[in-house]
């Protein structure tokens, strides 16, 4: 029986000496590989998270830029509509409260528009005011017939045409400037 115990001991020792180191080595490699895979997986997940955050940030930035562009475009359309309405109202001698409308629009322009557009808009508004005042003198809403006497509005009519020309030229420059800014904004 001792014999058998001795043989079992030798056999076990041989197995341990011969196979245990390679078994443990293989186990260590597997463990290292598993740890490497976990580390690589964590790095991949971190990169995915960073990329998602970067993409989300770009989407928000684009959305803000798109909203700003739409807001600016809307303002420029209001400016154009307001000035066209003001010209028609003045020429038709309609009674509208243009001052309130211009005041509201001016506030919006000064907050939203660029400095160049804001300055040009104020010039146009001032030219419009000059023209509207002289237009009313040149073309009063009267039905008086001037037969033999000199037309008292004649002196205003020449000035009206000159002032209107300056106003309208400045207005056209404002429109060009607004279009240029919108195109530049859209290209960014």
């Amino acid at each position: 029986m001792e014999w058998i115990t001795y043989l079992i001991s030798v056999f076990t020792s041989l197995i341990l000496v011969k196979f245990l180191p390679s078994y443990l080595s293989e186990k260590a490699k597997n463990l290292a590989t598993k740890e490497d895979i976990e580390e690589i997986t964590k790095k991949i997940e971190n990169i995915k998270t960073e990329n998602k955050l970067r993409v989300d940030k770009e989407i928000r930035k684009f959305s803000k830029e798109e909203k700003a562009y739409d807001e600016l475009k809307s303002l420029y359309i209001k400016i154009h509509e307001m000035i066209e309405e003001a010209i028609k109202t003045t020429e038709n001698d309609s009674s509208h409260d243009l001052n309130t409308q211009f005041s509201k629009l001016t506030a919006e322009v000064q907050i939203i528009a660029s400095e160049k557009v804001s300055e040009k808009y104020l010039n146009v508004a001032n030219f419009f005011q000059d023209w509207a005042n002289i237009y009313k003198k040149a073309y009063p809403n009267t039905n008086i017939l001037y037969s033999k006497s000199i037309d008292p509005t004649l002196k205003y009519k020449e000035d009206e045409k000159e002032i209107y020309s300056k106003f309208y030229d400045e207005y056209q420059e404002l429109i060009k400037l607004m279009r240029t800014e919108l195109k530049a904004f859209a290209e960014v």
Side-chain angles (χ1 to χ4, degrees), residues 120-149:
K120 184 63 75 177
Y121 166 81
L122 291 175
N123 285 342
V124 168
N126 287 332
F127 276 127
F128 170 77
Q129 189 65 43
D130 292 345
W131 170 73
N133 287 334
I134 200 148
Y135 184 88
K136 289 177 184 178
K137 292 176 184 176
Y139 302 98
N141 190 11
T142 60
N143 294 327
I144 299 173
L145 181 62
Y146 301 103
S147 58
K148 293 185 182 179
S149 62

Side-chain angles (χ1 to χ4, degrees), residues 80-94:
H80 185 63
E81 289 172 343
M82 176 63 194
I83 293 172
E84 289 295 321
E85 180 183 337
I87 292 169
K88 288 176 186 168
T89 299
T90 302
E91 289 176 339
N92 294 331
D93 196 30
S94 302

Side-chain angles (χ1 to χ4, degrees), residues 96-134:
H96 288 283
D97 186 15
L98 293 175
N99 288 334
T100 302
Q101 290 174 316
F102 264 115
S103 294
K104 289 177 182 178
L105 188 58
T106 299
E108 252 187 284
V109 167
Q110 290 181 336
I111 291 171
I112 298 172
S114 70
E115 193 172 318
K116 278 184 174 182
V117 168
S118 186
E119 287 175 14
K120 184 63 75 177
Y121 166 81
L122 291 175
N123 285 342
V124 168
N126 287 332
F127 276 127
F128 170 77
Q129 189 65 43
D130 292 345
W131 170 73
N133 287 334
I134 200 148

Side-chain angles (χ1 to χ4, degrees), residues 28 37 47-48 132:
I37 290 172
I47 290 170
K48 282 181 181 178

